[in-house]
Amino acid sequence: MKRAIGFLRHDISGSDRDVHERAINDLAAAEGYQIDTILAVGPDVTHPLSRILVAVSRIHADAVITPGPDHVADFARALLVVTDLITIAPPRTARRGVRHKTDLNSS
C-alpha cells in the first residue's frame, strides 16, 4: 500500500480543521494511501517544510495530502523534489520530480 502524510495549517483551516482532517483521510482511502500521520501546524512554526520532510523520510511517504494549495504555498516546489503533492480543493495531483510550469491552482 502507498503511504502518505496529511498536512494542514490550522490557522488556514480554522473551524474546518476536523472537516479537513476527515477529507484528508477520506481521499487517502479512496486513492489507496495509508495515512500515517496528519501534521497540523500554525503560523508560529518557523520551518514547516522541515517537519514535513522528516515525516516523509521517516515513513518513506509517497505523497503529502493537503486541503488546498494555500497550506503549502511557501514550499510546494521544494516538497515536490521528494514526494507527490495532492490537494483536495481544487483536486490536483502534482508528481514529484516533474517541472511544474504553473502553481497548483491551475490545471
Side-chain angles (χ1 to χ4, degrees):
M1 179 174 263
K2 300 179 288 186
R3 299 180 87 172
I5 63 164
F7 177 79
L8 62 85
R9 289 193 33 193
H10 56 78
D11 56 315
I12 295 173
S13 290
S15 62
D16 289 332
R17 179 178 173 175
D18 289 341
V19 172
H20 287 168
E21 288 185 9
R22 279 192 304 276
I24 288 169
N25 282 312
D26 290 348
L27 178 67
E31 296 293 325
Y33 288 95
Q34 173 186 329
I35 288 284
D36 285 73
T37 190
I38 296 178
L39 298 173
V41 302
D44 57 325
V45 174
T46 56
H47 301 289
L49 176 61
S50 295
R51 290 187 183 203
I52 295 171
L53 293 176
V54 166
V56 165
S57 176
R58 190 186 78 229
I59 66 160
H60 306 286
D62 299 293
V64 172
I65 302 173
T66 190
D70 49 341
H71 290 261
V72 294
D74 296 339
F75 49 82
R77 287 184 190 267
L79 192 55
L80 286 165
V81 170
V82 297
T83 189
D84 293 351
L85 180 58
I86 303 170
T87 60
I88 296 168
R92 300 277 188 262
T93 299
R95 299 287 176 208
R96 83 184 93 196
V98 175
R99 293 190 79 136
H100 297 276
K101 295 179 183 175
T102 59
D103 67 17
L104 294 173
N105 287 314
S106 39
S107 303

